Amino acid sequence: MSILDKILGRDEEPADGDGPKNEAAGYTLKIRRYDPESGETAFWHEYDVDIAPERSVLDGILYAKDHEDASIGIRCSCRAAICGSCGVRINGKSALACNTRISDAQAKAGRGKPIVVEPMGNMPVLKDLIVDMDAVHWKKIQRVVPWLLPDGEPPEREYIVPAESMIDVTQSMACIQCGVCVSACLSLEVDPEFVGPAALAKAYRFVGDPRDGQTEERLRDLAEDPHGMYDCTHCFACIEVCPKDVAPMDQIMRLRRRATGDYEIKDKNNGYGHGKAFVDMIENWGTLHEAQMLPRSFGDGSMIKGQTEPGAVKQLVEALPTAIRGLKSGKVTPKAVLFHPKLPDQDNVRKIYKAIESQGERLELNLYIVADNSADEEGAMAEGTKEGLA
Amino acid sequence: MKLAYWPGCVSRGFTPELHGSMALVAPKLGLELVELDRASCCGAGVIAEHNQELADTLNARTFALAQGVDGAAGMMNICSTCQGAQSECQERLDADSGYRDHINGTLSDQGLTYEKSGEWWNKNFMWLLVEEIGLDKLAAKVVRPLEGLRIAPFYGCYIVRPTHRLGFEAHPNRHKYLDHLIEILGAESVSYAGSHKCCGFPVITMNRATSLRQAGRHLADAIDAGADCLVTPCPLCHLNLDMQQPDAAKFVERDLDVPVLHLPQMVGLALGLEPKELGMDKHVVKTKDVQVKVAEVAAA
Ligand code: SF4
Ligand code: SF4
Ligand code: FES
């Protein structure tokens, strides 16, 4: 057996076709059990379940409950990815148990290996597969004031808004509050205070709502909070796992776009400064001038402010050891710190900036709304893809 | 194989050893690299965060320049963040012809057009090694198997998520390529919790604690799993894992001191290049122990 065959798994038993098709088939679920009242630590237990391949992992768990141990704790109701109560981790990936086919889970686990089912991450476990959503998820949702705050006297009847103006928030409205993104979030893993993907997506639902009167206040609040919109590390984990394509990270980026582009909120977390520094540098040079990144970021995007304002200078001094290490290791030369070449045709890059700025509005192609037209190639841009400027 | 080559900003800025090692490895693999010296930064997601159309236009320009390289099989990058940011722009450009025409309109006075094509591709070096060169061909070129080295793969985010955008339907094993490469080059791949997690770099200026706790935790996990070093296809991950490592150690309150290699450096070592030419002396965390182990193999 060559090492290549081994790496590519060619040494494994040949498959019987693609495994069992329609009749009931055998799967093994390895479930993490924990009961705080027992006084015992968590443990793993394997359950054999005989269900058809097209059934869900939730069906598998319920089978184990019915046939082997009725005490297995799992929350569920709709069994159709609507109620949002059956979030778990399957082979390490956060997902709805009712929305994951057991044969797909088996394929991910690998042939002959058990399907590993654990409670969601980033939330305390109450029992077995049930986590404390109140302690984390719902608390964070509350944090962003998840209701409309309209200005002025309420109208006599309902608020009337043109349908097009709500398109922008339809994606965030699709959320079923399952907490699967919260479970997967890699910033939350190291910073439990992070407001998190679900709550920030919810925040955008109101920031983007034309009836809300507190848009700027909401943005300022989440921009200034050290655990707010600038604490998301852009890891795509929430986009990857969300069963409803809410793409929470994209909603967070839209919050940032509004905060910096529309309201110029110069937050103390350097979110505004970092974005502005980056965008301006590419306009100047075409490529990143890393040595100017920090001073510009700390100075709301300005090099001068970054080297003179007390707050900015303090942060620069804190970052100094890193810069010195870079110089000492020989990877960064003093010349490179001081001088950064422009692209040979930087004028063409500038032209693009000018052309787009002169449009006076930001164009956003949201594939959730316009869908992928690549197949029919008709594709005129759908109405409502233009993010209005406030 | 001739390639339009986009090295990215960081590989020519704060991690010049990456650009340098790629230049040495390419001829050994029969790759002819035509550098896109007029192309601009991919935006690293930050320009798109500010203005999506701006990022899409800048990258459409880069793609158009790459498509203009005569005889090139495709475009190659050596930065996961470039891969992720560019794939995101390409997804939008390819999804809607109206949008694409609009973007191409902005580029028209430069004589450039991005053509949507099922044939054309933009691949990170990691994908290219497995899919275009092939593990068996690579194995045949190994002159110094990295035996005895225990290497922890660090994939980072941009090259593994979201899977629907990053071609996992056609290439379902893309999240395992680093492991495959480590093993085909003769080393042992170390499995640990952080291999597909975030290095924290994107928030280093916004929340230093969140950022360096992430880097520190993954480095510590790799050390505890017995790694001699890590390897990454992303220079931004390298900045947080190597350049910031002494500070990351403070945030996780323990010693770290584990070297981090760039992917072309690891490949270069196995192809017989010397650590010094691969810029391994230009790391913040010293690579001496790795160099000693590699030298032992050569002597044996
Ligand atoms: S992209 Fe941001 S919000 Fe989403 S999982 Fe990652 S850190 Fe959390
Ligand atoms: S954003 Fe998606 S994953 Fe997160 S709570 Fe809502 S539906 Fe669930
Ligand atoms: S049971 Fe309702 S979402 Fe799974």
Side-chain angles (χ1 to χ4, degrees):
Chain A
M1 180 69 48
S2 84
I3 180 162
L4 189 64
D5 291 332
K6 240 197 180 136
I7 291 173
L8 299 177
R10 290 186 207 143
D11 57 339
E12 285 180 20
E13 292 286 305
D16 307 316
D18 278 327
K21 278 274 179 299
N22 285 317
E23 327 90 69
Y27 296 96
T28 304
L29 295 182
K30 183 175 169 184
I31 299 180
R32 189 175 193 271
R33 304 291 311 268
Y34 172 64
D35 181 0
E37 280 164 23
S38 73
E40 281 171 43
T41 51
F43 62 96
W44 293 99
H45 194 86
E46 296 195 359
Y47 302 88
D48 290 331
V49 299
D50 271 339
I51 58 172
E54 67 274 12
R55 304 283 294 279
S56 70
V57 171
L58 178 62
D59 289 332
I61 298 167
L62 295 179
Y63 182 100
K65 226 172 133 68
D66 283 350
H67 291 77
E68 206 169 318
D69 186 348
S71 76
I72 299 172
I74 171 84
R75 251 191 218 120
C76 67
S77 169
C78 72
R79 304 195 194 186
I82 296 166
C83 72
S85 51
C86 67
V88 290
R89 278 182 296 180
I90 302 168
N91 302 316
K93 190 169 171 179
S94 304
L96 293 177
C98 71
N99 198 32
T100 307
R101 218 178 308 170
I102 198 157
S103 49
D104 291 347
Q106 182 66 68
K108 285 267 154 58
R111 210 175 305 129
K113 301 207 176 99
I115 298 166
V116 178
V117 186
E118 298 164 83
M120 289 200 282
N122 292 330
M123 288 178 267
V125 178
L126 291 175
K127 181 178 187 297
D128 299 333
L129 301 173
I130 301 171
V131 297
D132 191 346
M133 296 277 282
D134 287 339
V136 182
H137 175 72
W138 292 113
K139 210 161 114 195
K140 290 178 187 299
I141 294 286
Q142 287 289 328
R143 156 74 185 81
V144 302
V145 194
W147 54 83
L148 266 187
L149 297 168
D151 266 347
E153 285 293 303
E156 237 163 68
R157 294 176 61 96
E158 64 270 44
Y159 286 91
I160 310 248
V161 282
E164 308 86 76
S165 64
M166 294 300 284
I167 291 177
D168 191 40
V169 291
T170 47
Q171 190 174 18
S172 49
M173 283 163 80
C175 174
I176 56 169
Q177 305 298 338
C178 63
V180 164
C181 57
V182 174
S183 162
C185 177
L186 295 178
S187 272
L188 263 178
E189 199 176 277
V190 295
D191 179 9
E193 286 181 74
F194 177 38
V195 175
L200 288 169
K202 178 58 89 187
Y204 188 75
R205 188 249 165 279
F206 293 102
V207 161
D209 191 313
R211 294 168 295 179
D212 199 81
Q214 302 290 313
T215 311
E216 182 170 358
E217 291 76 3
R218 287 180 189 273
L219 288 168
R220 193 171 293 283
D221 169 37
L222 293 169
E224 293 292 0
D225 186 336
H227 313 284
M229 65 169 88
Y230 294 115
D231 198 16
C232 157
T233 179
H234 222 274
C235 75
F236 301 94
C238 54
I239 298 187
E240 178 68 17
V241 300
C242 173
K244 294 288 161 186
D245 286 337
V246 171
M249 185 189 105
D250 288 351
Q251 310 311 324
I252 297 170
M253 296 308 129
R254 298 166 108 200
L255 286 173
R256 292 185 185 179
R257 202 137 65 221
R258 294 262 172 151
T260 57
D262 297 353
Y263 294 95
E264 300 200 357
I265 296 169
K266 295 182 176 137
D267 59 286
K268 61 175 185 307
N269 300 309
N270 307 317
Y272 175 89
H274 177 257
K276 178 148 175 48
F278 200 113
V279 174
D280 287 354
M281 280 196 277
I282 307 308
E283 186 172 14
N284 284 342
W285 292 290
T287 55
L288 262 195
H289 186 353
E290 291 141 317
Q292 291 203 4
M293 194 70 216
L294 287 184
R296 279 175 182 258
S297 297
F298 298 154
D300 294 334
S302 147
M303 191 67 192
I304 297 169
K305 209 168 156 190
Q307 292 177 311
T308 53
E309 274 217 341
V313 171
K314 182 168 169 280
Q315 296 187 73
L316 255 192
V317 170
E318 278 166 13
L320 213 56
T322 318
I324 292 170
R325 279 197 298 272
L327 285 165
K328 259 171 99 180
S329 68
K331 57 161 69 202
V332 187
T333 63
K335 182 168 164 259
V337 170
L338 295 170
F339 179 75
H340 190 72
K342 269 184 208 152
L343 288 182
D345 57 351
Q346 181 58 20
D347 283 349
N348 282 330
V349 173
R350 290 222 181 93
K351 260 195 229 159
I352 292 174
Y353 271 74
K354 289 244 156 58
I356 289 170
E357 271 159 27
S358 69
Q359 284 171 194
E361 61 182 346
R362 283 192 310 265
L363 197 63
E364 182 187 339
L365 186 79
N366 186 342
L367 295 178
Y368 179 84
I369 295 164
V370 303
D372 192 324
N373 286 322
S374 50
D376 58 17
E377 265 308 319
E378 279 308 302
M381 267 181 291
E383 273 301 308
T385 59
K386 289 179 184 173
E387 258 187 9
L389 294 183
Chain B
M1 188 189 308
K2 190 172 174 181
L3 294 163
Y5 172 46
W6 170 241
C9 301
V10 180
S11 82
R12 294 173 294 180
F14 276 9
T15 62
E17 69 280 1
L18 166 59
H19 190 233
S21 52
M22 188 65 234
L24 294 178
V25 166
K28 296 228 164 227
L29 294 168
L31 302 177
E32 185 194 339
L33 305 181
V34 183
E35 194 165 319
L36 298 170
D37 56 359
R38 291 164 61 202
S40 66
C41 172
C42 71
V46 182
I47 294 184
E49 176 184 321
H50 171 84
N51 187 318
Q52 215 177 61
E53 184 191 0
L54 180 58
D56 290 356
T57 314
L58 291 172
N59 282 309
R61 181 172 171 277
T62 300
F63 301 156
L65 291 168
Q67 290 177 333
V69 175
D70 226 12
M75 169 172 157
M76 183 182 88
N77 65 74
I78 48 171
C79 172
S80 301
T81 302
C82 292
Q83 182 70 61
Q86 291 178 334
S87 292
E88 182 176 334
C89 295
Q90 199 188 347
E91 183 185 42
R92 284 191 290 266
L93 291 166
D94 286 353
D96 192 290
S97 61
Y99 184 65
R100 188 162 64 249
D101 290 347
H102 171 78
I103 301 282
N104 276 331
T106 311
L107 297 175
S108 61
D109 66 341
Q110 305 183 26
L112 294 172
T113 312
Y114 164 65
E115 303 277 359
K116 177 184 169 181
S117 142
E119 315 274 285
W120 186 79
W121 44 254
N122 168 29
K123 290 189 180 186
N124 182 273
F125 181 51
M126 179 176 88
W127 293 351
L128 186 115
L129 277 168
V130 177
E131 293 161 10
E132 303 299 324
I133 293 176
L135 289 174
D136 40 358
K137 289 229 179 71
L138 179 63
K141 291 182 193 286
V142 172
V143 297
R144 177 165 53 197
L146 305 177
E147 275 156 25
L149 262 190
R150 292 173 49 82
I151 306 183
F154 191 86
Y155 291 83
C157 304
Y158 278 78
I159 205 162
V160 291
R161 284 180 295 271
T163 46
H164 71 85
R165 183 187 291 155
L166 292 169
F168 276 71
E169 258 165 50
H171 305 283
N173 285 324
R174 281 186 166 176
H175 62 298
K176 296 186 194 157
Y177 285 0
L178 268 187
D179 294 80
H180 293 169
L181 288 164
I182 289 167
E183 286 178 22
I184 206 73
L185 300 177
E188 186 187 333
S189 162
V190 174
S191 109
Y192 67 110
S195 57
H196 294 72
K197 291 187 180 176
C198 182
C199 71
F201 184 77
V203 289
I204 185 77
T205 54
M206 273 104 81
N207 193 328
R208 215 172 154 72
T210 295
S211 179
L212 293 180
R213 260 186 235 146
Q214 303 204 35
R217 195 181 277 200
H218 310 325
L219 290 162
D221 283 345
I223 293 169
D224 293 348
D228 296 313
C229 65
L230 285 79
V231 66
T232 179
C234 182
L236 280 74
C237 292
H238 198 270
L239 289 181
N240 242 29
L241 298 174
D242 177 59
M243 204 172 189
Q244 299 277 11
Q245 196 178 119
D247 282 350
K250 289 179 207 149
F251 279 93
V252 290
E253 296 173 351
R254 59 173 277 179
D255 287 340
L256 293 172
D257 206 24
V258 62
V260 185
L261 304 184
H262 299 282
L263 176 58
Q265 288 178 325
M266 176 178 81
V267 175
L269 286 175
L271 298 184
L273 293 162
E274 292 312 314
K276 204 164 166 134
E277 1 169 34
L278 293 167
M280 283 174 56
D281 292 340
K282 289 193 175 151
H283 291 208
V284 164
V285 179
K286 299 290 161 250
T287 59
K288 197 167 142 269
D289 292 351
V290 174
Q291 298 194 26
V292 169
K293 280 210 174 178
V294 169
E296 278 167 11
V297 179

